[in-house]
Amino acid sequence: MDDRYGNKVNQASDDYRYQGTNYEGYPPQGGHYHGGEEPGQEEDAQSDATEGHDEDDEVYEGEYQGIPHPDDVKAKQKKKAAGMADEFRDHADLVAERMEDEEQLAHQYETIIEECSHGRFQWILFIVLGLALMADGVEVFVVGFVLPSAEKDMCLSSSNKGMLGLIVYLGMMLGAVLWGGLADKLGRKHCLIISLSINAAFAFLSSFVQGYGFFLFCRLISGFGIGGTLPIVFAYFSEFLSREKRGEHLSWLCMFWMIGGLYASVMAWSIIPHYGWGFSMGTNYHFHSWRVFVIVCSLPCIASLVALKFMPESPRFLLEIGKHDEAWMILKQIHDTNMRAKGEPERVFTVANIKTPKQIDEFIEIQSSTGTWYQRSLVRFTTTFKQVLDNLLYCLTAQYRMNTLFLAIVWFTMALSYYGLIVWFPDMIRYYQEEAYKSREKNFHNEEVKHFTFNFTLENQVHKNGTYFNDKFIKMKFKDVTFEDSLFEECYFEDVTSSETFFKECTFISTIFYNTDLYEHKFIDCKFVNTTFLTQKEGCHLDFEQDNDFLIYLVSFLGSLSVLPGNIISALLMDKVGRIKMIGGSMLISAVCCFFLFFGNSESAMIGWQCLFCSTSIAAWNALDVITVELYPTHKRATAFGILNGLCKVGAILGNSIFASFVGITKVVPILLASSALVAGGLLALRLPETRDQVLM
């Protein structure tokens, strides 16, 4: 090799033999890399780097004549020879070499991130990814808030309401697994943009659709899109953080999920009760205030999507797939951004070359000259699918099998208890409200009313063995009213709306119903003699005064706000206490808190215990996110996170279904189930390896 080009070519082709914590050619001196210059040349080297070139970088005179540079020819020949040699090597040898390269890259990358420092760039990315995480938090609350209004707007049955409540978790489960796997193959930023776009589009569309089936489909696809947020966001952000900052700042990032819950609660409280915030088009299309709320809830997702366009791809991911130059440019951008913010713009990014792992090409590339576009697309799709599937199976290999199993159990038990209780708390509060409401019920027996006009609201009443002769019920409302064994003769019902109103074993003689919503199912074992039903009201009719009790929004708001102390404590102690102790301690303390629920016999008591449970359990969630990121290598990180987060959603679905079924029946089963799951998960978490002192592989 010509001495004139020897220094550069040797740097480009050097394998960076790992020696302790140093790399040949780049021993760290004062936190910087130096490309082998003598100490006396340091000033000149920095000046050259600042100017963007040195004497060896002068333009080759044949470059503009299409004549290849001699160095380029030699480099291509060497690369081609190495590629031909790889064809005859055993696959296991290539894998072993790649693993060795990855270990070297992990240590070098840690040193590079430390040189880039933690500053303005990371904080900007923190806000952008925080908005995406906020959108995930909002998605969990949206359906619960709109359900009371949507069930009247769409005439939903009990089974339909249950399916609507679970469909979002189903979509998020599928999305977490798929987008997590794709993020390790196609890139973090690229997949996050696609997943957020799907969520924003279908969340926005769901606010306009009128039918239950289409609304259910839109929320399913919306959940599928947002499901990729958690796996990608944590994998993405962790790859811009140094070891000493990772635990703390990933915990701070978790606060945005809490902010999403607060945002949804405040917006629901501010928008949904205002029935007039909407419009109608004829008699079949109604855009009520809850639909406005759905649109407003998509704003964090849209904001994150726009801001993400200006963020770079993870350089750690780019190095894994062999895109050295692109990764180097991004790392230089991070370094320069942070140095300018610190008032040190003269600081030079001294890294000239970064180790890239051996690339084992498994992708079958079909050139445009072979096959049709359909065949090429099909092969790319099937190959990518196979690679994602291989990544999923990789998490179950001997090296990671036990860690994956332990983490899966901890994620599942945490989700089962947390999401189950989060649904159980509001349901129990509604149950106490209903019991208090029923205790104020008024009963009327053997009343006789003749020639009277009812034009006011009847609420929470039971009328038995009554007689109504020549009475008029005009422009009035029935709320939780029951008539039993009563006689209506020559009565007239006009423009009547009703909620939870029934006629049981009543007799109607010569009675007319005009423009009412007293449908057939509201008459139970009744007799009709010469009775006429004229035009009936179409659709369902909202009653915001009852169905949208502000207390439910207040409960969600306080539950979300209560995790703030836990978030702060976990962020400050994550790197001091460690991930394992944080998970185990938080889950065991939360299990103890569950037993206090036996003393929750009122609305205020349930609110208080909910806040206590949420504040103690959040530390376990934060530590789980951190340790899941750190236990897996870069090319499998988002995949593993997606699998575990998908399993978490399975636990959420089971928790919602199981805990809700015991409301009003017994508190023993939900409390014992939640506490037992937390104790089991917390003890098992102590078997996991501690990761706070290791670099990201």
Side-chain angles (χ1 to χ4, degrees):
M1 178 63 66
D2 190 345
D3 290 338
R4 187 165 67 92
Y5 301 103
N7 187 43
K8 282 192 170 296
V9 175
N10 287 338
Q11 289 182 8
S13 62
D14 190 4
D15 285 338
Y16 278 84
R17 291 182 296 275
Y18 180 64
Q19 300 173 350
T21 57
N22 297 337
Y23 295 87
E24 184 179 6
Y26 292 89
Q29 299 177 10
H32 301 287
Y33 289 96
H34 298 278
E37 295 89 355
E38 295 296 327
Q41 296 174 323
E42 181 176 356
E43 182 177 353
D44 293 338
Q46 290 185 356
S47 176
D48 291 339
T50 306
E51 295 174 3
H53 66 279
D54 55 25
E55 293 178 358
D56 289 339
D57 288 332
E58 296 296 337
V59 177
Y60 170 58
E61 63 182 2
E63 178 178 354
Y64 298 106
Q65 302 174 14
I67 303 174
H69 195 287
D71 277 354
D72 295 338
V73 174
K74 294 177 181 179
K76 290 180 180 179
Q77 290 175 347
K78 185 174 182 179
K79 184 176 180 181
K80 183 177 180 181
M84 293 176 64
D86 285 345
E87 293 179 4
F88 300 99
R89 293 177 60 186
D90 185 73
H91 185 268
D93 293 338
L94 294 175
V95 172
E97 182 178 347
R98 178 179 174 85
M99 292 179 65
E100 183 180 352
D101 291 345
E102 287 173 350
E103 183 178 355
Q104 296 178 25
L105 171 60
H107 289 83
Q108 186 187 9
Y109 189 80
E110 178 67 26
T111 310
I112 295 172
I113 288 294
E114 289 177 357
E115 179 180 338
C116 291
S117 182
H118 188 93
R120 176 182 293 175
F121 181 90
Q122 281 86 353
W123 285 113
I124 294 174
L125 185 63
F126 174 81
I127 299 297
V128 174
L129 297 181
L131 288 171
L133 203 58
M134 180 178 170
D136 182 271
V138 169
E139 188 75 17
V140 172
F141 289 91
V142 167
V143 172
F145 286 150
V146 304
L147 200 54
S149 301
E151 69 172 304
K152 292 296 185 68
D153 206 11
M154 298 181 180
C155 307
L156 301 182
S157 63
S158 297
S159 59
N160 287 341
K161 287 189 294 182
M163 178 59 69
L164 189 57
L166 297 177
I167 198 69
V168 173
Y169 288 114
L170 179 61
M172 294 173 79
M173 177 190 71
L174 299 174
V177 176
L178 180 63
W179 294 117
L182 289 175
D184 282 333
K185 287 300 176 184
L186 305 180
R188 281 74 162 111
K189 175 185 174 181
H190 183 62
C191 288
L192 186 57
I193 287 177
I194 296 176
S195 65
L196 289 175
S197 299
I198 292 174
N199 172 254
F202 282 89
F204 186 81
L205 182 62
S206 69
S207 67
F208 291 94
V209 299
Q210 296 292 301
Y212 166 75
F214 200 10
F215 182 79
L216 193 71
F217 173 77
C218 288
R219 296 316 303 185
L220 172 66
I221 304 302
S222 174
F224 172 76
I226 204 65
T229 301
L230 243 66
I232 300 176
V233 162
F234 282 101
Y236 191 12
F237 192 51
S238 67
E239 291 163 1
F240 290 89
L241 300 173
S242 63
R243 175 172 47 196
E244 63 179 10
K245 298 286 186 180
R246 192 164 55 239
E248 177 185 352
H249 287 271
L250 286 176
S251 298
W252 289 126
L253 185 66
C254 294
M255 290 185 64
F256 279 93
W257 201 93
M258 172 203 73
I259 296 173
L262 295 175
Y263 175 81
S265 302
V266 172
M267 292 298 102
W269 197 347
S270 304
I271 297 174
I272 294 180
H274 296 279
Y275 180 79
W277 291 11
F279 61 90
S280 297
M281 297 176 62
T283 58
N284 296 323
Y285 189 89
H286 303 282
F287 192 91
H288 295 128
S289 57
W290 68 267
R291 298 179 182 274
V292 178
F293 166 71
V294 172
I295 293 179
V296 171
C297 284
S298 66
L299 295 181
C301 179
I302 296 174
S304 176
L305 186 60
V306 173
L308 198 60
K309 293 283 188 179
F310 302 95
M311 293 292 105
E313 179 58 85
S314 163
R316 186 71 170 86
F317 168 78
L318 293 174
L319 290 170
E320 284 290 328
I321 61 175
K323 295 186 176 181
H324 172 277
D325 294 346
E326 189 175 345
W328 185 90
M329 291 297 295
I330 293 172
L331 289 168
K332 184 177 185 302
Q333 174 191 352
I334 298 171
H335 175 276
D336 294 347
T337 300
N338 291 340
M339 292 304 110
R340 285 194 299 268
K342 293 181 178 181
E344 302 178 15
E346 70 280 358
R347 289 282 295 273
V348 177
F349 185 55
T350 59
V351 178
N353 207 332
I354 309 172
K355 182 69 178 179
T356 54
K358 169 69 69 176
Q359 300 301 305
I360 304 174
D361 188 16
E362 297 177 351
F363 192 86
I364 302 174
E365 181 66 32
I366 298 182
Q367 302 297 332
S368 57
S369 58
T370 58
T372 64
W373 67 269
Y374 172 79
Q375 292 173 321
R376 297 194 302 273
S377 300
L378 181 61
V379 170
R380 290 189 178 95
F381 173 80
T382 54
T383 306
T384 303
F385 177 79
K386 180 181 180 299
Q387 291 173 335
V388 171
L389 184 60
D390 289 343
N391 272 5
L392 296 177
L393 297 176
Y394 180 86
C395 298
L396 300 176
T397 56
Q399 183 180 1
Y400 295 100
R401 184 181 299 127
M402 294 308 298
N403 288 342
T404 301
L405 178 61
F406 289 164
L407 275 176
I409 296 174
V410 176
W411 274 91
F412 181 81
T413 54
M414 190 68 197
L416 180 71
S417 56
Y418 180 84
Y419 286 101
L421 287 177
I422 288 300
V423 171
W424 186 71
F425 283 126
D427 286 348
M428 285 298 296
I429 292 172
R430 289 191 187 96
Y431 172 74
Y432 288 132
Q433 286 180 315
E434 291 173 1
E435 290 296 304
Y437 183 74
K438 290 179 180 179
S439 67
R440 299 190 298 269
E441 185 180 79
K442 296 179 181 180
N443 290 273
F444 300 88
H445 298 273
N446 302 315
E447 63 178 350
E448 292 187 10
V449 182
K450 298 181 179 180
H451 310 291
F452 185 79
T453 300
F454 293 87
N455 55 4
F456 49 86
T457 298
L458 297 181
E459 181 178 0
N460 199 21
Q461 299 178 4
V462 175
H463 299 261
K464 295 183 178 180
N465 300 314
T467 300
Y468 305 90
F469 179 77
N470 196 24
D471 294 324
K472 295 182 179 180
F473 301 82
I474 299 177
K475 294 183 179 180
M476 64 167 299
K477 293 182 179 180
F478 290 113
K479 292 183 179 180
D480 291 278
V481 178
T482 302
F483 293 92
E484 296 182 11
D485 297 312
S486 298
L487 172 64
F488 294 84
E489 186 174 358
E490 296 184 11
C491 293
Y492 181 73
F493 293 80
E494 180 181 352
D495 198 13
V496 175
T497 57
S498 62
S499 173
E500 299 298 325
T501 296
F502 300 96
F503 298 85
K504 299 179 179 179
E505 298 181 353
C506 296
T507 301
F508 296 86
I509 301 175
S510 301
T511 297
I512 297 176
F513 293 88
Y514 175 74
N515 192 31
T516 71
D517 67 350
L518 299 175
Y519 305 119
E520 182 179 353
H521 71 276
K522 297 186 178 183
F523 298 94
I524 302 173
D525 298 327
C526 294
K527 297 180 180 179
F528 299 94
V529 180
N530 196 26
T531 296
T532 305
F533 286 86
L534 300 177
T535 306
Q536 289 188 321
K537 291 182 180 293
E538 295 182 359
C540 300
H541 305 280
L542 296 167
D543 187 348
F544 292 104
E545 295 179 5
Q546 176 182 343
D547 293 321
N548 296 286
D549 192 343
F550 79 94
L551 184 61
I552 301 301
Y553 306 139
L554 179 62
V555 169
S556 298
F557 178 84
L558 293 177
S560 299
L561 187 62
S562 65
V563 306
L564 180 60
N567 263 318
I568 295 174
I569 292 173
S570 66
L572 296 178
L573 299 181
M574 186 68 70
D575 292 317
K576 296 180 176 64
V577 175
R579 287 72 161 127
I580 304 307
K581 293 180 181 178
M582 186 73 70
I583 297 173
S586 175
M587 294 184 74
L588 294 176
I589 294 173
S590 300
V592 174
C593 292
C594 288
F595 284 99
F596 289 106
L597 297 175
F598 283 113
F599 304 101
N601 297 318
S602 64
E603 296 175 23
S604 57
M606 292 303 297
I607 294 174
W609 296 129
Q610 176 190 8
C611 293
L612 179 62
F613 175 78
C614 292
S615 63
T616 56
S617 61
I618 191 63
W621 281 120
N622 294 354
L624 264 178
D625 293 333
V626 175
I627 196 173
T628 302
V629 162
E630 294 175 335
L631 272 179
Y632 295 91
T634 300
H635 61 290
K636 306 291 189 280
R637 182 170 297 125
T639 301
F641 204 118
I643 295 172
L644 296 169
N645 192 248
L647 189 62
C648 166
K649 296 305 183 287
V650 175
I653 293 173
L654 291 176
N656 286 352
S657 304
I658 295 173
F659 283 57
S661 63
F662 289 98
V663 173
I665 299 176
T666 179
K667 293 193 294 184
V668 175
V669 174
I671 293 174
L672 290 181
L673 180 59
S675 57
S676 301
L678 289 169
V679 169
L683 293 176
L684 191 61
L686 299 177
R687 300 287 304 276
L688 289 167
E690 182 57 67
T691 58
R692 61 175 167 172
D693 294 325
Q694 75 178 39
V695 297
L696 280 182
M697 294 303 296

